[in-house]
Amino acid sequence: MCLQSGYPYAGVQYSTECFCGNEEPPSASRRPDSSCNMKCPADPREACGGYFTINVYETGIAKFTPQVPREVAESEEPPVRIAFLLTLNGRALRQVRRLIKVLFHRDHFFYIHVDARQDYLYRELLVLERSLPNIRLARHRYATIWGGASLLQMLLASMNELLELGWDWDFVINLSESDFPVKTNNQLVDFLTANKGRNFVKSHGREVQRFIQKQGLDKTFIECDAHMWRTGDRRLPWGIQMDGGSDWVALSRPFVAYVATAVQDSHAQKDVLVEGLNTVFKYTLLPAESFFHTALRNSQFCDTYIDNNLHVTNWKRRLGCKCQYKHVVDWCGCSPNDFKPEDWPRLQGTENRQLFFARKFEPVVNQAIIDQVEDWLYGPYPSNIANLKSYWQSVYHYADLSPPPDDSLVTLAASLARMSAKSLVLKSDGNGCFVHPGNVHEVTSYHNNDNYKGSLVLFEALLNGGTEKVVFETLVEPQHYMTVLKDTGPSGRLKSLLVSSDYDQKEQMSRNFLHNLGPFSEPILVYQLDVSPQPSTYNVTFLWVDPAGQLTEMSEVHMEDGQAINFVKPLLHEPLLPGVWTVNMVYDTAVVAFTQFLVTPLQFVSGTNVSQQQAGFLHSGPGQPYPIHDAAVWDKLLDNKVDRSALQRKALVNARRFGLDLKDWIDSLNSKFYKVLDTCITSSSIRALSECERLPLELCENTEWSSLAPDPKSRITLVNLTTGRL
Ligand code: UDX
């Protein structure tokens, strides 16, 4: 057994206490507001279940040392069986299917937890249970926010259920939607078979006190309303050796039974260590990064500890540590980057090491690297495989209640369906075909060869007044407007200047591929300059002008040649005035370039058509003057040929538009910012075409860009009886 030297005598019980902000919290910390159901308890001890004692186990040896894994089994052992615990979030359904496909073997098990707020992924994965008995989705789902205490609750509940399902597994390995294997299934099984009964967790490898502080372990956090509120300082349990690092682990069945049963099952014999740690970790940021490590080191399982999480992680802290989760946790958290082809040496370097998985991978960022890894492990796909280089990711599905659909996206999709219908009428060459668009079913972003190619709108329609619904899918492309007026300084090197939202600082890209913005969006300006042999820097000002011609915001930036993509987030008041906005780039006292973007008026609010009254509020702009320093000076630089009072009068008239008139306004704006490239018809609709036979349309199932085109790399079929794989 293994007690850290210097710790008190074995067998003695030590008390612990924690605080919940009854002292003045540090200035950066916040409290849950009054609408939060769970407030910080009046008695600070309630936040950790009161004082409790933790038993330190009897030891003989003073020093804890992690074990060295075995390369090969010591004797002829039956191969271990693995339960993959997939903890999923987001909408990358096809990548998740691809992950399941590559990991699948009939001897393994898959237990899938989908964040309770993600209807789409849950619904689409649930169907797998029907055909594959070794796949099961968690029914009791948690809203597992980034770094939240709920992540550990979810892992323990899932492990508990894994124990109760009657599945005969030896190890649990947790993985997310952005993990992918870097060794074959057989290699993983051989390695774990040689190490049956051991537990793989990765430790921080630095001084413990520093780890505790960096990790916020000495602070109490309360998870409430999908936020981790930091409520104050606390003291950690005495007599316990804290440890932690990565929350990606491979745990043996006996240890899982020890940590998960004691916590979840009220009839189970309570273990005082696990019970105590569970209480502490209910109020801990990033709990899964320390809970398992600490439970391992301080329990009878301490000599099964192996300091390896079997993962290579693509840390690029300069990009990944930007406090990007401030809206979710009162802490500055970091995330690893997605792998790209230039990271290949790092992946290849895992070959002779005991590393079996890598993170992170996201096909909307780069799919080529996923193809390369899969090819490396299992050989190339047949050369005639369809659509290997394509990727489709859902953006909207009509059946989703959660997360609630974005009104501006639903409005845009309906408008694009109308634009598509109009283009079909034109295509029918005046032979009287009338396409009446109905509900939008789905919006999907389409990527090919790691380029975004456009978005797909799947919608229903009636033809020529018929009653049978026909389903079309249309490919649309957002249009960008960047104009360089003077080829001087930075404008001469402008590579891109565009406005979107959902900027990911880590991956340096906007995740809003369609660039749809509505009155409640938060626009950001994304720019990049070309590389130059003699890099220069420039002081530039961006002037944001609303559709009524009024200067609304001024952003000052420092641009550098060849610098990575950068962004500016303006402070704009909501609701934004709908219509065409202009961002002027000022350098050396002149406007040298500009870009335009659209804020779409809303046709829908929470799924229903806006009333005239709602339109008046939504489409009138923020209703207060924009305070701009030296506005008159900047104003002089702007286009003085524009008749501002005419634009203002027009904006007032527009704000009164509703019903058909509102739709016309929306469509006329969108027709400038989006282009319908192509439309196909689904095979199930072909019968109804007799009404309108001469529509020259391909079947979506045969159209390479369509979301209905074959996608074998992500298709889950029947188990191959010879190999046991999919
Ligand atoms: C990094 C580290 O890899 C991880 O060890 C640490 O716990 C958090 O920081 P990161 O890539 O930032 O991970 O997190 P991500 O993979 O996005 O999320 C972690 C897990 O939480 C995933 O399983 C993800 O599906 C889940 N999650 C995340 C949710 O369920 N809901 C969310 O809203 C966010």
Side-chain angles (χ1 to χ4, degrees):
M1 299 293 277
C2 34
L3 183 69
Q4 180 77 20
S5 61
Y7 265 72
Y9 305 109
V12 182
Q13 298 209 321
Y14 299 95
S15 65
T16 182
E17 50 189 301
C18 68
F19 292 92
C20 182
N22 57 337
E23 300 136 32
E24 200 45 46
S27 55
S29 74
R30 292 188 287 169
R31 281 164 181 274
D33 65 23
S34 53
S35 62
C36 192
N37 296 329
M38 188 178 125
K39 297 208 185 74
C40 193
D43 179 346
R45 285 166 298 178
E46 275 177 42
C48 59
Y51 290 92
F52 61 93
T53 56
I54 291 186
N55 195 24
V56 177
Y57 280 83
E58 181 67 67
T59 73
I61 306 159
K63 188 85 181 159
F64 164 85
T65 31
Q67 303 297 300
V68 178
R70 291 187 201 104
E71 293 284 347
V72 283
E74 282 178 344
S75 54
E76 193 73 358
E77 297 268 356
V80 292
R81 302 179 75 183
I82 301 164
F84 293 103
L85 169 47
L86 305 186
T87 62
L88 309 179
N89 162 56
R91 304 184 80 92
L93 173 68
R94 293 183 192 227
Q95 177 58 21
V96 170
R97 289 217 208 106
R98 192 169 180 178
L99 174 66
I100 293 174
K101 231 177 128 125
V102 75
L103 293 174
F104 193 92
H105 190 278
R106 68 178 156 229
D107 292 343
H108 297 330
F109 305 95
F110 292 82
Y111 187 80
I112 303 176
H113 177 274
V114 180
D115 187 319
R117 298 162 297 173
Q118 299 293 340
D119 286 359
Y120 174 75
L121 208 50
Y122 179 72
R123 197 179 53 244
E124 299 292 325
L125 289 172
L126 199 55
V127 292
L128 296 180
E129 279 188 357
R130 276 194 236 139
S131 51
L132 298 164
N134 52 343
I135 295 188
R136 171 107 191 141
L137 269 74
R139 297 302 195 273
H140 180 73
R141 290 158 60 205
Y142 296 73
T144 36
I145 58 170
W146 188 93
S150 50
L151 274 168
L152 178 61
Q153 303 310 309
M154 173 273 288
L155 287 174
L156 292 173
S158 302
M159 288 175 183
N160 191 257
E161 192 162 349
L162 266 171
L163 290 162
E164 290 186 344
L165 278 172
W167 286 349
D168 184 18
W169 51 267
D170 303 288
F171 278 96
V172 169
I173 295 181
N174 63 329
L175 298 172
S176 77
E177 64 284 348
S178 53
D179 289 70
F180 209 73
V182 288
K183 296 257 173 15
T184 63
N185 243 312
N186 288 345
Q187 288 170 302
L188 177 65
V189 170
D190 288 350
F191 177 75
L192 291 179
T193 303
N195 290 284
K196 193 169 167 183
R198 291 169 156 196
N199 293 288
F200 294 83
V201 296
K202 177 96 188 126
S203 186
H204 52 86
R206 54 177 91 160
E207 203 239 313
V208 179
Q209 194 50 34
R210 194 166 145 60
F211 170 73
I212 288 174
Q213 282 164 356
K214 271 209 80 182
Q215 198 74 5
L217 285 174
D218 51 358
K219 313 273 181 240
T220 295
F221 284 83
I222 295 186
E223 184 172 341
C224 181
D225 284 351
H227 190 95
M228 280 293 269
W229 306 90
R230 192 171 104 214
T231 58
D233 294 340
R234 68 178 180 185
R235 256 174 260 161
L236 287 166
W238 299 334
I240 291 292
Q241 179 68 24
M242 293 304 291
D243 188 18
S246 164
D247 53 0
W248 306 104
V249 296
L251 304 178
S252 69
R253 187 170 187 128
F255 180 66
V256 170
Y258 170 67
V259 283
T261 319
V263 174
Q264 300 296 323
D265 184 350
S266 55
H267 304 297
Q269 204 189 349
K270 299 271 184 208
D271 178 276
V272 72
L273 173 72
V274 175
E275 210 183 345
L277 289 180
N278 191 50
T279 311
V280 172
F281 279 92
K282 259 190 199 147
Y283 303 97
T284 300
L285 179 74
L286 292 163
E289 292 194 356
S290 303
F291 174 84
F292 298 107
H293 306 59
T294 305
L296 255 179
R297 280 187 86 148
N298 294 278
S299 69
Q300 68 269 36
F301 291 90
C302 57
D303 56 2
T304 63
Y305 183 121
I306 293 183
D307 187 5
N308 176 355
N309 66 352
L310 311 184
H311 272 71
V312 61
T313 307
N314 195 22
W315 285 110
K316 295 189 176 173
R317 293 186 195 267
R318 189 179 54 79
L319 293 169
C321 295
K322 302 253 189 201
C323 285
Q324 61 268 42
Y325 300 107
K326 262 192 301 195
H327 59 294
V328 183
V329 298
D330 293 347
W331 200 251
C332 275
C334 299
S335 282
N337 269 78
D338 292 338
F339 281 103
K340 291 187 181 157
E342 61 262 30
D343 303 309
W344 175 246
R346 193 161 190 186
L347 292 167
Q348 213 176 15
T350 59
E351 187 158 19
N352 297 315
R353 299 174 62 197
Q354 288 161 340
L355 297 171
F356 294 81
F357 300 94
R359 76 189 312 263
K360 303 173 72 165
F361 295 93
E362 270 191 289
V364 290
V365 173
N366 190 276
Q367 185 169 253
I369 191 73
I370 303 170
D371 296 343
Q372 195 172 356
V373 173
E374 219 184 338
D375 180 328
W376 187 43
L377 299 186
Y378 291 105
Y381 279 99
S383 57
N384 60 351
I385 188 171
N387 299 318
L388 183 62
K389 299 290 167 201
S390 297
Y391 181 69
W392 293 264
Q393 188 156 302
S394 164
V395 181
Y396 163 82
H397 191 292
Y398 76 98
D400 297 346
L401 295 177
S402 176
D406 175 347
D407 291 322
S408 71
L409 176 63
V410 183
T411 296
L412 172 60
S415 168
L416 295 173
R418 289 193 293 270
M419 282 163 57
S420 166
K422 259 189 211 155
S423 74
L424 289 177
V425 175
L426 293 177
K427 259 190 173 179
S428 73
D429 220 7
N431 68 14
C433 180
F434 178 71
V435 181
H436 181 74
N439 293 336
V440 170
H441 289 191
E442 293 185 54
V443 180
T444 307
S445 74
Y446 169 57
H447 308 251
N448 185 268
N449 264 318
D450 289 320
N451 291 311
Y452 166 70
K453 292 288 182 188
S455 294
L456 314 175
V457 182
L458 190 75
F459 65 97
E460 60 187 32
L462 294 175
L463 299 183
N464 285 345
T467 51
E468 196 164 351
K469 283 180 184 154
V470 178
V471 177
F472 295 108
E473 189 161 48
T474 199
L475 169 65
V476 294
E477 187 187 55
Q479 305 296 296
H480 303 300
Y481 297 100
M482 176 183 102
T483 307
V484 175
L485 299 170
K486 284 191 188 155
D487 194 351
T488 161
S491 59
R493 293 208 217 295
L494 259 186
K495 215 167 150 188
S496 67
L497 184 69
L498 62 89
V499 176
S500 186
S501 67
D502 301 343
Y503 188 72
D504 179 339
Q505 290 190 60
K506 178 169 72 77
E507 302 301 336
Q508 300 190 307
M509 60 183 264
S510 161
R511 288 186 181 265
N512 176 359
F513 293 105
L514 203 44
H515 299 170
N516 63 289
L517 299 168
F520 300 100
S521 299
E522 297 182 1
I524 38 115
L525 176 72
V526 186
Y527 59 85
Q528 189 179 19
L529 297 187
D530 254 328
V531 275
S532 147
Q534 282 135 9
S536 310
T537 57
Y538 314 91
N539 290 326
V540 170
T541 304
F542 289 108
L543 302 178
W544 296 70
V545 177
D546 76 7
Q550 190 179 349
L551 176 60
T552 62
E553 167 69 334
M554 186 190 86
S555 340
E556 289 184 320
V557 302
H558 195 69
M559 285 177 133
E560 282 174 37
D561 279 330
Q563 192 191 33
I565 298 172
N566 221 325
F567 77 105
V568 190
K569 188 165 190 290
L571 276 174
L572 298 172
H573 297 275
E574 289 178 352
L576 303 174
L577 189 67
V580 180
W581 287 61
T582 307
V583 185
N584 298 284
M585 178 176 168
V586 178
Y587 175 68
D588 208 10
T589 67
V591 175
V592 291
F594 69 91
T595 184
Q596 290 189 302
F597 68 97
L598 175 65
V599 172
T600 184
L602 297 181
Q603 182 192 339
F604 301 104
V605 169
S606 306
T608 49
N609 280 294
V610 298
S611 64
Q612 186 174 17
Q613 204 184 5
Q614 284 172 319
F617 161 72
L618 294 168
H619 300 153
S620 298
Q624 48 176 302
Y626 305 96
I628 306 267
H629 186 61
D630 281 343
V633 178
W634 296 114
D635 249 355
K636 282 203 190 114
L637 299 179
L638 297 175
D639 188 356
N640 50 20
K641 290 192 285 297
V642 171
D643 180 352
R644 283 202 201 156
S645 49
L647 286 178
Q648 275 157 13
R649 280 197 303 277
K650 199 169 164 206
L652 282 175
V653 172
N654 280 337
R656 287 202 284 270
R657 299 174 81 164
F658 76 107
L660 277 180
D661 190 26
L662 173 60
K663 284 192 204 171
D664 285 345
W665 180 33
I666 294 171
D667 293 354
S668 71
L669 289 169
N670 282 327
S671 59
K672 179 171 178 204
F673 284 86
Y674 297 92
K675 191 168 167 195
V676 172
L677 298 181
D678 198 4
T679 301
C680 60
I681 186 163
T682 59
S683 59
S684 56
S685 303
I686 209 76
R687 248 177 343 137
L689 260 197
S690 54
E691 300 281 341
C692 210
E693 276 150 347
R694 294 186 50 196
L695 268 181
L697 294 178
E698 282 285 338
L699 283 184
C700 293
E701 288 78 353
N702 298 338
T703 303
E704 65 169 16
W705 52 259
S706 168
S707 64
L708 301 171
D711 186 11
K713 65 184 173 305
S714 292
R715 197 176 66 226
I716 292 185
T717 47
L718 296 176
V719 180
N720 179 319
L721 294 177
T722 320
T723 62
R725 304 194 63 220
L726 286 173

